[in-house]
Amino acid sequence: MQKTVIVAAAASCLALGFASPNAAAAETSDDAELPYCPRPGAEILADDSAQQPGGEVANSAAPADSAAKTPVVAETPEDALRVATYNANLTRESSGELFEELSAPGAEDATAVARAVQTVRPDVLVLTGIDVDAGDNVAKAFNTNYLAVGGDEHTGITYPYFYTSDSNAGVDSGADLNRDGTIGEPGDALGYGSFPGQSSMIVFSKHPLDEANVRDFTSLSWEAMPDNNMPARLTDLERNIIPLASVSHWDIPVEVDGETLHVLATSTADSSESTYGTARNHDQIRFWQDYLDPDTEYILDHRGDRGPLPEDDAFVIAGSLKADPTGKGPGDPTAITSLLESSQIIDPEPARTLSVSGLGRGLLPDTPDAPHHTAPSPLGGDESYRADYVLPSADLEVLDSGVLETDSPASAQGFFGLPTDTNANRIVWADIVVGG
């Protein structure tokens, strides 16, 4: 099957998926032959064949030397679950723009993100830094037109389950929070952003999500947190309206072979984006430590249910925390250091997965802790820092972990703060045993 046919088919499948039930029925009632659509769970290979969930390949025409190719990341062990997070940096200047681009294959940055995911092949992926103004449609479009479509020696990957919801990013507060004399700018939003849902979050999963028991803390008031770090300059009205989360905090139960793993998905404030960003980032990270404390009382979810995570529940914190325990980057290291030192979590300290090429060794920062770094510092220059984390609960066994090295010139440019159209962030993952 030719690649052009696969691409056109993916777009056709997406169009049918977004149609209303009546419209979809009308489309499928025609006598004309429908374009090829892989059935749910099928993955499109780099050689343009389709691999079914059981592993069988349809219309296979793999090159003779394909079996000899060595994957850059080892396959997930049979008894493990691979959890990953990636700041995709898939954001646009205006609402609806990203969804329009994702509605068909071809966006260069989205393809690059898909290639990174296809390389690591996580079972659960917390994707941050992606516009969700179009809600579920963005997740469906990215899943169908990018993740599922292989190429460049990468095999497509599909996720039958995903979760996204409203975030605080870009939601107008009605106040001049950045004190520049103008209301309605990105810095005045409940979470930094030009429109609701900008640079937010989606969780993709190969395993079922218990959506009935998802806990969403997006609307939790910052002021409700005891001993918070809200700046004194805020008015009483502003203190009442600003939520703790600048994007979202979610507890998503994932059902894995009869066991439940709570994926604590998060995307925190960038300390460089507002005058109180450092204080908010600190408290957003502290929130997760409070959520694990059985004595915490202030936490309230979107259903009005109060309280922390039950003590014996297995969990993994995954997402963009934008703070480094060594003090690099824009954030205050206090809260992230406390979290990493908690007896309730394991810090796998993932390091670069690939051997560093001459390009990588010569251009990317090479301080002793650089192998753990996942993002260029928003402060500019050649500084990078550890911004993204996968932190399993202490009762789980960690078999492996890593940070996908990207040695492309664009990645190096990004780490130096130079203009580039390619995401310079790195995907981070850990292989954990659930219920072992």
Side-chain angles (χ1 to χ4, degrees), residues 111-323:
T111 299
V113 170
R115 294 292 178 263
V117 176
Q118 291 164 356
T119 299
V120 175
R121 310 192 73 76
D123 299 300
V124 178
L125 171 66
V126 177
L127 195 68
T128 64
I130 183 169
D131 297 344
V132 299
D133 51 299
D136 289 358
N137 287 345
V138 171
K140 293 176 183 176
F142 186 61
N143 199 14
T144 301
N145 287 336
Y146 289 88
L147 293 176
V149 180
D152 302 326
E153 301 182 356
H154 291 77
T155 302
I157 185 170
T158 56
Y159 293 96
Y161 309 99
F162 66 85
Y163 181 85
T164 191
S165 187
D166 295 338
S167 82
N168 291 323
V171 177
D172 188 14
S173 69
D176 183 17
L177 296 180
N178 62 5
R179 298 295 192 270
D180 68 349
T182 304
I183 295 176
E185 295 184 333
D188 298 324
L190 297 180
Y192 190 91
S194 299
F195 56 86
Q198 186 178 34
S199 192
S200 295
M201 187 163 59
I202 302 172
V203 175
F204 291 97
S205 177
K206 291 186 175 181
H207 297 271
L209 308 179
D210 182 6
E211 291 197 38
N213 289 302
V214 167
R215 300 189 71 188
D216 187 336
F217 307 103
T218 303
S219 60
L220 177 66
S221 169
W222 188 3
E223 191 174 29
M225 173 182 275
D227 302 319
N228 63 66
N229 286 295
M230 295 187 83
R233 69 170 179 80
L234 294 175
T235 67
D236 289 343
L237 175 62
E238 290 167 344
R239 296 175 71 87
N240 286 332
I241 64 173
I242 299 177
L244 174 62
S246 51
V247 179
S248 300
H249 286 144
W250 300 330
D251 174 350
I252 304 177
V254 180
E255 302 299 330
V256 183
D257 299 330
E259 302 286 341
T260 298
L261 176 71
H262 291 262
V263 175
L264 308 184
T266 184
S267 182
T268 62
D270 181 340
S271 297
S272 66
E273 289 180 339
S274 75
T275 56
Y276 55 84
T278 300
R280 198 174 184 188
N281 174 273
H282 174 281
D283 286 356
Q284 289 171 354
I285 296 172
R286 189 197 124 190
F287 167 83
W288 289 118
Q289 201 158 1
D290 289 350
Y291 191 54
L292 304 178
D293 183 347
D295 295 326
T296 297
E297 298 179 351
Y298 76 89
I299 294 177
L300 192 69
D301 64 25
H302 66 302
R303 294 190 182 90
D305 295 331
R306 190 177 295 276
L309 184 72
E311 285 188 74
D312 296 330
D313 286 5
F315 66 86
V316 57
I317 299 171
S320 181
L321 297 179
K322 301 183 182 70

Side-chain angles (χ1 to χ4, degrees), residues 54-67:
E56 66 272 21
V57 176
N59 301 320
S60 177
D65 63 344
S66 63

